[in-house]
Amino acid sequence: MSKGALALLIHGGTDNWSPQRWKMRFDEVCGERRVALLPDADLDPADVHYAAVWKPVPGELAAFPNLRAIFNLGAGVDALMADTTLPDVPLVRVAVDDLTARMTEYVVLHVLMHHRQELYLRESQREKRWAPKYQWPASALGVGIMGLGTLGADAADVLKRLGFLVAGWSRSEKRIDGIDCFHGAAELDAFLARTDILVALLPLTPDTRGILNRALFAKLNRESPLGAPVLINAGRGGLQNEADILACLDDGTLGAASLDVFGQEPLPADSRFWTHPRVVLTPHNAADTDADAISRYVAEQIVRFEAGGALHNVVDRRRGY
């Protein structure tokens, strides 16, 4: 294979997703390969063999007739899969140690936050109230992780070592040492019934869209030391029914929620999530991508592919992840 250009199609509004920053990193790791930040009037679309993308506009990738692989710069590929004009070439998702470690940090942080009653303690601090409550051990809480891919499996392992009773649920069967694994629709209710803190790390597919809803929350453990179950969603915004989350927080079906993702981002200023006393809100930064690690990952994949090797972490388009 001859070297082809790498096109960058990046649409993001935060500093970490600055297109110029990504261009600088890819220039450093791609050697003599041309890296083109689109739009680029001097670029012949036929010269593009690879594309590194984040939320490309539908139809953009169809402009490259010689495209050989697409690399998604974030973990979620649902925006790409929604593009009906997406070229029929391998779609590679990010799977690097840095991203996995960051997601595990986030999940562990928020599980511990709810386990150690931080919302109550911070409220007590604001009110200058010295009134600690009984603190149960980690072994008294069941943490359930929906989604047992690379991210979910790593978070489950760390939480298990902290002493939590960890279980996982996935669409297809998975086996992880020391973790009670459930799978499929038939085993979902049993998984939910033993869960005090629910962690959502599922990919967004037609089957999982809106899965975090009142009917599911009502099946979580109602006898938790927490008083009511807790939701942590660091997966995709489309997983959650946001009206149901707010209503369940209001009526006690849920005791609290940590939310990193939303159906509309940035979150509108008039959203109740900003001010709800039982919500911990973060701006989709649970596993903020490191440009250095990801650019090296993509460059190494391309070199291996051009040497006749296989691409790693290719998305199964039938499943959507």
Side-chain angles (χ1 to χ4, degrees):
M1 292 184 180
S2 60
K3 284 189 176 182
L6 170 66
L8 304 183
L9 295 85
I10 298 168
H11 301 281
T14 62
D15 289 345
N16 195 45
W17 287 103
S18 162
Q20 291 75 22
R21 182 178 181 223
W22 283 100
K23 173 68 162 61
M24 180 177 66
R25 296 298 188 272
F26 275 109
D27 281 337
E28 291 176 358
V29 298
C30 284
E32 297 179 358
R33 185 182 310 280
R34 180 180 179 184
V35 177
L37 178 60
L38 299 190
D40 184 338
D42 296 328
L43 178 67
D44 182 348
D47 292 339
V48 174
H49 290 182
Y50 308 99
V53 306
W54 179 245
K55 297 183 179 179
V57 174
E60 276 189 309
L61 288 161
F64 307 116
N66 296 319
L67 198 62
R68 292 173 177 165
I70 302 166
F71 298 89
N72 192 54
L73 296 175
V77 296
D78 47 282
L80 274 169
M81 297 299 295
D83 184 357
T84 59
T85 68
L86 194 67
D88 187 17
V89 300
L91 170 58
V92 179
R93 59 180 176 79
V94 167
V96 296
D97 291 345
D98 175 79
L99 185 148
T100 302
R102 292 180 188 222
M103 180 60 80
T104 294
E105 288 175 357
Y106 183 93
V107 170
V108 172
L109 169 68
H110 286 263
V111 168
L112 288 173
M113 182 187 305
H114 296 291
H115 161 52
R116 295 303 300 258
Q117 307 177 76
E118 279 296 300
L119 293 181
Y120 169 76
L121 293 174
R122 298 290 69 79
E123 178 186 276
S124 296
Q125 179 182 354
R126 289 191 297 272
E127 297 180 1
K128 301 179 183 179
R129 182 177 66 243
W130 191 276
K133 294 182 178 181
Y134 169 73
Q135 179 59 56
W136 49 83
S139 60
L141 289 183
V143 179
I145 299 180
M146 296 186 79
L148 290 176
T150 302
L151 302 180
D154 191 72
D157 179 65
V158 174
L159 289 167
K160 177 194 68 175
R161 286 188 273 127
L162 288 173
F164 293 99
L165 301 175
V166 184
W169 180 86
S170 53
R171 301 293 298 181
S172 56
E173 186 175 6
K174 299 286 180 67
R175 296 188 180 186
I176 303 173
D177 288 344
I179 306 299
D180 292 332
C181 294
F182 299 77
H183 73 279
E187 297 183 3
L188 179 58
D189 285 2
F191 162 80
L192 295 171
R194 49 90 63 219
T195 296
D196 301 304
I197 299 178
L198 180 67
V199 180
L201 295 176
L202 290 165
L204 181 60
T205 70
D207 289 335
T208 63
R209 183 174 291 279
I211 194 171
L212 302 177
N213 56 37
R214 175 177 285 279
L216 182 140
F217 302 146
K219 296 176 181 178
L220 294 167
N221 184 22
R222 309 313 305 176
E223 299 180 358
S224 168
L226 296 169
V230 169
L231 169 66
I232 299 172
N233 185 13
R236 310 299 296 167
L239 298 173
Q240 62 196 25
N241 181 317
E242 296 181 355
D244 279 7
I245 291 174
L246 287 166
C248 287
L249 288 167
D250 290 342
D251 68 19
T253 303
L254 288 175
S258 288
L259 304 175
D260 185 58
V261 289
F262 300 90
Q264 181 181 345
E265 296 180 1
L267 188 66
D270 61 354
S271 170
R272 285 186 62 212
F273 286 124
W274 287 110
T275 55
H276 199 290
R278 309 309 296 169
V279 172
V280 180
L281 183 156
T282 53
H284 202 151
N285 71 334
D288 217 1
T289 306
D290 177 71
D292 294 332
I294 299 303
S295 57
R296 287 193 300 270
Y297 168 83
V298 171
E300 290 166 1
Q301 286 250 42
I302 291 174
V303 169
R304 182 170 58 250
F305 180 61
E306 291 186 336
L311 293 167
H312 295 173
N313 301 306
V314 176
V315 171
D316 182 338
R317 295 202 186 195
R318 294 170 299 175
R319 292 185 174 184
Y321 56 92

